[in-house]
Amino acid sequence: MKNIYNWLWMVGLLASACTSVQTTVTNGNPSDSLATANTKELYHKLIVQVEKGIMIGHQDDLAYGHGWYGEEGRSDVKDISGHYPPVLGLELGDIELGRACNLDSVYFDAMRRYVQQTNARGGVTTFSWHGNNVVTGGNAWDCDQDSVVRAILPGGVHHAAYLARLDHVAAFFSSLRDEQGNLIPVVFRPYHEHTGSWFWWGAKQCTPEEYKALWRMTVDYFRHEKDIHHILYCYSPAETMDERQYMERYPGDDVVDMVAFDAYVPNQGTAADLALYKATMQRNLDILATVATATGKVATIGETGYEGIKDSRYFTEIVYPLLQGRKLAWVLFWRNAYEADKGHHYYVPFKGHPAAADFVEFSQKEGVLLNTP
Ligand code: BMA
């Protein structure tokens, strides 16, 4: 296991002392020409880091875990390994409604603290957004209609209402500040898994042109109307078959900083499903490597995992071989639900779980990066 503090410090030194540090994955600057100095620094760190190792990320890690909720300082990853994950995933869904907490009952005030804590440790926070359907009043999964995106684009009947929702998201991002009042750079991974058809922004719900317009409208609104320049944007389709499908809805190099994909062990997680997962991951990691090089963006795994981790060697025998030799900023495992009726919904082992030792072994492998407490 690497000590992320020492390591990030070295990365900083390298980046500042050696302007000739070049990688094949990026041109070195965020897509936002007005990106804040801290945002540029974060991007530069990631560029150097992908050459060295892959950070472990966990969704909602500081907010709750398997069987607990809102215990300050607790983390399922830390409980088993002694270390906080360097990448924290958080979820914005319901913020657009002006609510105090998100769709999984995590308070946005608490999230601000988690972002600060993660930043103070030298880590990174990445936000997903399962935003509600402004047209139907349903949630993100309400995807029966194929005209929602069209209706919120400029000229659409729900355009103004949608911008009002973006206002809430923008206000939250603008509130992410460190103790000195400086904006904390974060990653935003909106409109994800759009090559699937389970969200209102999915492939059967809008055309490629509409999807791109939605993305560009969002980024433009944040940059030009809200003066937000501390975000790295991450494009993250669900699993795809080839580069053509991956890029079909890619909104443009000027509005994307990181390329990713989401893929999970499918179905019931049988041995056959694991074999399928390996093949899907191999294919998608190959696609990702190609598009990262072609676009000059930093690659990462947006979301992955094995619900219930039914194979106690999943991390060392399945995930690690998949990641070895790959240039990726991080691998984000999905959330460990605290809800009593979702006891099976977890992606990182907790204390006493049969895969806990395997996860720790994985975190100590060459090229895998885990934070210090
Ligand atoms: C899904 C599940 C849901 C959750 C949603 C948003 O994948 O984990 O239970 O509400 O993500 O976090």
Side-chain angles (χ1 to χ4, degrees), residues 59-60 64 91 102-104 128 130 141 193 199 264 303 334-335 337 339 342 345 347:
Q59 183 74 2
D60 282 347
Y64 58 79
E91 162 62 31
N102 78 358
L103 73 171
D104 301 314
S128 50
H130 292 77
W141 292 265
E193 299 177 10
F199 297 128
Y264 287 89
E303 290 177 29
W334 200 241
R335 72 191 194 105
E339 299 97 313
K342 290 188 179 148
H345 193 55
Y347 295 86

Side-chain angles (χ1 to χ4, degrees), residues 68-326:
W68 62 274
Y69 172 92
E71 293 178 34
E72 203 62 31
R74 189 163 174 194
S75 141
D76 276 350
V77 170
K78 181 164 180 275
D79 275 357
I80 60 168
S81 71
H83 304 278
Y84 290 110
V87 175
L88 172 67
L90 290 175
E91 162 62 31
L92 292 171
D94 279 5
I95 198 167
E96 71 282 357
L97 306 179
R99 301 237 167 106
C101 59
N102 78 358
L103 73 171
D104 301 314
S105 304
V106 180
Y107 284 86
F108 294 110
D109 277 349
M111 287 191 207
R112 286 190 188 91
R113 258 193 341 271
Y114 304 146
V115 171
Q116 285 170 348
Q117 290 162 1
T118 301
N119 181 58
R121 276 197 286 273
V124 187
T125 304
T126 171
F127 282 95
S128 50
W129 182 30
H130 292 77
N132 290 275
N133 184 326
V134 69
V135 174
T136 63
N139 62 22
W141 292 265
D142 180 359
C143 55
D144 285 350
Q145 293 187 17
D146 63 2
S147 55
V148 176
V149 173
R150 200 155 55 245
I152 63 182
L153 291 175
V157 284
H158 294 277
H159 180 62
Y162 193 73
L163 293 189
R165 293 191 168 195
L166 287 181
D167 288 346
H168 288 290
V169 182
F172 177 75
F173 280 137
S174 297
S175 74
L176 300 175
R177 290 174 186 269
D178 64 17
E179 280 180 356
Q180 286 72 47
N182 301 313
L183 287 160
I184 300 172
V186 293
V187 174
F188 187 31
R189 188 171 58 88
Y191 312 130
H192 64 304
E193 299 177 10
H194 57 280
T195 47
S197 294
W198 46 85
F199 297 128
W200 55 256
W201 56 85
K204 289 196 179 129
Q205 285 69 28
C206 60
T207 66
E209 291 320 309
E210 286 164 354
Y211 180 83
K212 290 182 208 176
L214 170 68
W215 183 291
R216 299 192 67 86
M217 178 185 89
T218 304
V219 175
D220 283 351
Y221 191 65
F222 285 174
R223 283 183 186 166
H224 303 126
E225 300 299 324
K226 298 288 159 183
D227 209 18
I228 290 179
H229 302 290
H230 61 294
I231 291 181
L232 298 175
Y233 292 91
C234 179
Y235 173 81
S236 196
E239 56 202 57
T240 57
M241 294 311 294
D242 50 30
E243 286 82 6
R244 188 209 57 79
Q245 189 190 6
Y246 188 99
M247 293 302 286
E248 190 181 30
R249 288 163 189 255
Y250 181 76
D253 288 343
D254 57 333
V255 284
V256 172
D257 300 293
M258 301 183 77
V259 284
F261 69 88
D262 296 6
Y264 287 89
V265 176
N267 311 319
Q268 304 311 308
T270 62
D273 296 330
L274 281 171
L276 202 59
Y277 173 72
K278 279 192 228 171
T280 302
M281 290 292 283
Q282 290 285 10
R283 186 182 71 246
N284 280 272
L285 286 164
D286 288 346
I287 295 169
L288 190 63
T290 305
V291 300
T293 303
T295 57
K297 305 298 177 182
V298 175
T300 193
I301 297 182
E303 290 177 29
T304 195
Y306 184 5
E307 189 179 51
I309 321 165
K310 294 163 196 154
D311 178 337
S312 64
R313 302 290 290 168
Y314 166 70
F315 293 97
T316 54
E317 291 183 2
I318 295 171
V319 178
Y320 187 62
L322 285 167
L323 301 187
Q324 256 178 316
R326 300 281 184 183

